Amino acid sequence: MDIAVIGSNMVDLISYIERMPAEGETVEAPNFAMGCGGKGANQAVVAARLGSSVRMVTRVGNDIFADNTIANFERNGIDTTYVLPTEATSGVAPIFVDEESHNSIIIVKGANALLTPDDVRAAEEDIATCRLIALQLEIPLETVYEAVALGKRHGIPVLLNPAPAQPDLVLAKVRDCEYIVPNETELSLLTGMPAETMEDVRNAASVLLDVGIPNVIVTLGERGALWLTADGEHVIDAVTVDAHDTTGAGDAFIGCFSHYLVADGDVLEALKKASHYAADSVTRPGTQSSYADAEQFERLRGA
Ligand code: RIB
């Protein structure tokens, strides 16, 4: 197996609205869409669509959403051995996207909150055959820490996407990650430093290097991305597109980066492809519904 994603799955309930409601206001949404989401599942689906073999470790609920989520993993060729049924509701995410493509997301973790360190240990033998572990923060932090420790035990590189931002994340417990990939907001929250100008971003990112994480990759939306190591930095330019729905673009970036990192081992090239892939995803509505497959992405890159 190429990649183990230990993380969340959600059902995205997306309302397309003209503008965000003010407090106490009711607004009408002209359009609604329901789709499979969750940061972990999104990243797994991207990597699988691009050709990686992916094992998902996650928990689904005992409701009408669970079968659909499992069927979706299977349709995308993802190994579901560790998609565990749980006496809880499935994770759901009401999402609001306005006409300027700004989004607001509420996550109700449901079964995702019950993915435990024991679940990770129970899957250890199979996770240990993977070449990369990808983690996000929609599952309990103790489970994330266990997965980082497992990666270290087996010499598997771990990529942590610290999203959504969690003030309680203990950096010392994730210092054994090989890659950390925050956006500006997450970077600022993790370090307690501003991350507005490029200089701010560099200063805050170097705090993560000092913690001991060798590769800090900050996604900067329209400004591209910054990859920092002890040896220097690379700025990855953004690809300009007409954005319709940016929901799940960060997951598109990370899933694509993970795929090419494992497939080719060239970090900079993988980042450039990830930037292109994420930009393409925002031209279509929805989260997983906006992700290209390998053939579509090849065509796009050749265009
Ligand atoms: O990153 C986008 C994702 O965040 C959505 O799919 C939603 O489910 C939330 O997890």
Side-chain angles (χ1 to χ4, degrees), residues 8-12 36-40 42-43 92-93 95 105-107 138 163-164 246-251 287-288 291:
S8 62
N9 67 89
M10 307 266 170
V11 178
D12 286 350
C36 290
K39 294 183 195 304
N42 292 348
Q43 294 171 21
V92 294
I95 299 177
I105 306 181
I106 297 169
I107 57 164
E138 289 182 330
T246 58
T247 319
D251 301 329
T287 42
Q288 293 182 21
Y291 298 153

Side-chain angles (χ1 to χ4, degrees), residues 124-169:
E124 176 154 359
E125 212 176 297
D126 285 332
I127 297 171
T129 64
C130 297
R131 297 168 59 203
L132 179 75
I133 296 173
L135 305 169
Q136 317 74 30
L137 300 182
E138 289 182 330
I139 56 172
L141 289 177
E142 290 305 325
T143 308
V144 170
Y145 302 148
E146 181 62 34
V148 175
L150 187 155
K152 185 172 163 70
R153 273 200 297 283
H154 294 277
I156 306 167
V158 176
L159 179 157
L160 173 64
N161 168 219
Q166 289 260 17
D168 296 340
L169 182 78

Side-chain angles (χ1 to χ4, degrees), residues 276-300:
H276 199 168
Y277 187 93
D280 174 60
S281 78
V282 309
T283 64
R284 289 179 290 276
T287 42
Q288 293 182 21
S289 55
S290 71
Y291 298 153
D293 62 22
E295 206 183 303
Q296 291 162 331
F297 188 48
E298 275 308 308
R299 245 196 331 266
L300 182 76

Side-chain angles (χ1 to χ4, degrees), residues 106-122:
I106 297 169
I107 57 164
V108 186
K109 287 184 184 167
N112 294 293
L114 300 173
L115 189 72
T116 63
D118 278 348
D119 294 331
V120 173
R121 281 189 288 270

